[in-house]
Amino acid sequence: MNFFIINGPNLNLLGIRNPKLYGDDTLLDIEKWLNAHDNTEGHSFLWFQSNHEGEIIDHIHKAIDNADGIIINPGAFTHYSYAIRDAITTVNIPTVEVHLSDIYSREDFRKKSVIKDACIAQYFGLKKLSYLEGFKKLLTALR
Ligand code: DQA
């Protein structure tokens, strides 16, 4: 199966961005790690990162006819982008929301996700393992 893995703003700076919260891995490290993981064998992943809301929405639209499932870490857009939420409900492709950090143990504004209800699950606080858990959930849902 084909999966889109979409990462939002500031995630291009993983590795130097607050490693205590987000881990030491760069986004490319996470990409290589997941692509090579035993559980993901036989599946294909298209990784995408953007700091721009509209580009993320355009990419979600490309999932129509091109992806069986989507894993998205919307970054700070998680907390206020109704447009990204609408894009996910519009394409109607099973989507999992993931976060490296525990958004529920941080600032109050991070406790609210406007994306969550558009997704089949949300994983947070597991650093890069959140992406793997998201993938496993999609596999189960698509079986
Ligand atoms: C994040 C959590 C968000 O609140 C934050 O704005 C990010 C990263 C995470 O992966 O923990 O950019 O999505």
Side-chain angles (χ1 to χ4, degrees):
M1 281 185 281
N2 298 314
F3 297 91
F4 276 14
I5 306 191
I6 301 175
N7 289 281
N10 300 304
L11 294 167
N12 54 313
L13 292 183
L14 288 178
I16 58 168
R17 182 185 178 197
N18 205 334
K20 278 206 180 112
L21 277 173
Y22 299 120
D24 295 316
D25 291 307
T26 66
L27 192 55
L28 188 61
D29 292 336
I30 297 175
E31 178 176 336
K32 286 181 181 162
W33 168 79
L34 193 74
N35 290 352
H37 199 282
D38 286 351
N39 289 26
T40 62
E41 212 182 314
H43 300 285
S44 89
F45 298 94
L46 187 69
W47 289 74
F48 175 81
Q49 189 276 330
S50 175
N51 295 321
H52 306 280
E53 187 178 25
E55 287 183 2
I56 292 169
I57 292 164
D58 288 344
H59 198 73
I60 292 169
H61 293 173
K62 285 190 189 127
I64 300 173
D65 296 332
N66 292 303
D68 300 294
I70 300 171
I71 296 168
I72 185 164
N73 182 347
F77 286 139
T78 303
H79 313 298
Y80 64 94
S81 178
Y82 296 107
I84 289 178
R85 176 203 172 100
D86 282 353
I88 294 168
T89 54
T90 301
V91 300
N92 199 23
I93 292 165
T95 299
V96 175
E97 176 188 336
V98 299
H99 300 283
L100 298 149
S101 68
D102 177 0
I103 54 173
Y104 297 101
S105 68
R106 299 181 61 193
E107 301 96 323
D108 278 351
F109 76 87
R110 293 187 204 276
K111 294 188 169 82
K112 169 91 185 153
S113 166
V114 301
I115 309 291
K116 189 177 173 194
D117 290 347
C119 295
I120 61 167
Q122 183 196 56
Y123 294 94
F124 54 88
L126 305 171
K127 302 222 166 72
K128 66 184 177 188
L129 287 172
S130 295
Y131 290 80
L132 182 61
E133 290 307 315
F135 168 71
K136 288 200 250 175
K137 180 72 186 183
L138 281 176
L139 268 194
T140 312
L142 289 164
R143 255 186 210 129

